C-alpha cells in the first residue's frame, strides 16, 4: 500500500469506504498504486490500467483502455461524447462494488491482456474546428502558428470548450478570453 494513496483516501469526505474496498480489490488483482493526475492510479509495471475518480454523484473506476476491452457484463460506461478509449464503472456504495467484485478482477485481467497485446486506440479523427476558431486562424497568422504549436490534446480542449457554447456570441467571448493564452503557448488549465 502506498502512503500517498492512504493520505488521499483519508482526506476524502465523500467516498472513503468505497475507495478502500475498491483499492483492496485492485491490489489483490496484482496492481500497484500511486497518485497520478492527483488521483489514486493503478498500474501493471509501468502501464496505467485504471484510476479512481471521485465525482459528486458517484465514485468511478476508469479503465484507460476500457473501449478496447471486452465488456461481457456491460459494466463499462462512456465518459462522454468526446472520450475515445477510456471507459468507467460507477459506484454509489460499497454494496455496488461488492456486487461486481468478481467482475472487477476479470476486467483488470482483461485490461492487462490489452496492454500485453499492444492494442492501441485508433487515431483521433481530424479536428474539425468550431467556426470562430477557424475564422481567427484564417485571419491571424501569428495566432495560427501559436495554435499549431499546442499539443493535439490542448488544441482539442480549446476547440471543445469554444464549440460547447450554443450561441456565437458566447463562442466569440470564450475565444477572446483565451486568445492571449493560446498566443503564449499555454493550455487552458496552465497557470
Amino acid at each position: 500500500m502506498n502512503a500517498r494513496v492512504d493520505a488521499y483516501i483519508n482526506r476524502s469526505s465523500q467516498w472513503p469506504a468505497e475507495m478502500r474496498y475498491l483499492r483492496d480489490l485492485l491490489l489483490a488483482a496484482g496492481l500497484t498504486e500511486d497518485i497520478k493526475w492527483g488521483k489514486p492510479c493503478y498500474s501493471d509495471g509501468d502501464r496505467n490500467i485504471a484510476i479512481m475518480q471521485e465525482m459528486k454523484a458517484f465514485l468511478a473506476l476508469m479503465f484507460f483502455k476500457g473501449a478496447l476491452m471486452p465488456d461481457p457484463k456491460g459494466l463499462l460506461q462512456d465518459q462522454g461524447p468526446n472520450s475515445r478509449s477510456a471507459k468507467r464503472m460507477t459506484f454509489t456504495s460499497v454494496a455496488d462494488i461488492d456486487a461486481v467484485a468478481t467482475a472487477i478482477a476479470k476486467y483488470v485481467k482483461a485490461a492487462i491482456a490489452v496492454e500485453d497485446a499492444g492494442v492501441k486506440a485508433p487515431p483521433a479523427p481530424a479536428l474539425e474546428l468550431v467556426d470562430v476558431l477557424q475564422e481567427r486562424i484564417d485571419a491571424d497568422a501569428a495566432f495560427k502558428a501559436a495554435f499549431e504549436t499546442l499539443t493535439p490534446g490542448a488544441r482539442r480542449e480549446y476547440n471543445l470548450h469554444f464549440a460547447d457554447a450554443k450561441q456565437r456570441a458566447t463562442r466569440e467571448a470564450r475565444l477572446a478570453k483565451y486568445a492571449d493564452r493560446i498566443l503564449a503557448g499555454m493550455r487552458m488549465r496552465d497557470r
Side-chain angles (χ1 to χ4, degrees), residues 57-122:
F58 57 83
L59 174 67
L61 176 63
M62 193 222 30
F63 288 91
F64 289 96
K65 292 187 178 178
L68 306 176
M69 296 167 37
D71 185 14
K73 297 197 177 280
L75 299 175
L76 297 175
Q77 306 166 6
D78 285 327
Q79 294 203 124
N82 299 307
S83 182
R84 291 185 36 239
S85 64
K87 286 197 171 191
R88 66 185 175 201
M89 296 178 180
T90 60
F91 310 102
T92 57
S93 67
V94 170
D96 284 355
I97 299 167
D98 194 49
V100 295
T102 303
I104 289 171
K106 290 177 181 174
Y107 279 65
V108 167
K109 286 180 185 175
I112 293 170
V114 165
E115 290 294 340
D116 288 344
V119 179
K120 304 259 186 232

Side-chain angles (χ1 to χ4, degrees), residues 107-150:
Y107 279 65
V108 167
K109 286 180 185 175
I112 293 170
V114 165
E115 290 294 340
D116 288 344
V119 179
K120 304 259 186 232
L127 187 61
E128 190 172 321
L129 298 178
V130 67
D131 56 355
V132 295
L133 184 56
Q134 186 65 60
E135 291 164 9
R136 176 72 185 260
I137 286 171
D138 291 345
D140 185 341
F143 186 86
K144 177 181 180 180
F147 188 76
E148 289 176 352
T149 63
L150 296 170

Side-chain angles (χ1 to χ4, degrees), residues 159-177:
N159 191 60
L160 286 170
H161 181 64
F162 302 150
D164 191 43
K166 292 181 178 133
Q167 295 184 16
R168 181 177 176 90
T170 306
R171 291 192 300 274
E172 289 171 346
R174 287 182 181 182
L175 177 59
K177 177 180 177 181

Side-chain angles (χ1 to χ4, degrees), residues 30-34 36 41-50:
L31 299 178
T32 58
E33 65 181 1
D34 202 351
K36 296 183 183 178
C41 183
Y42 293 83
S43 304
D44 177 56
D46 63 347
R47 305 173 307 180
N48 295 322
I49 300 297

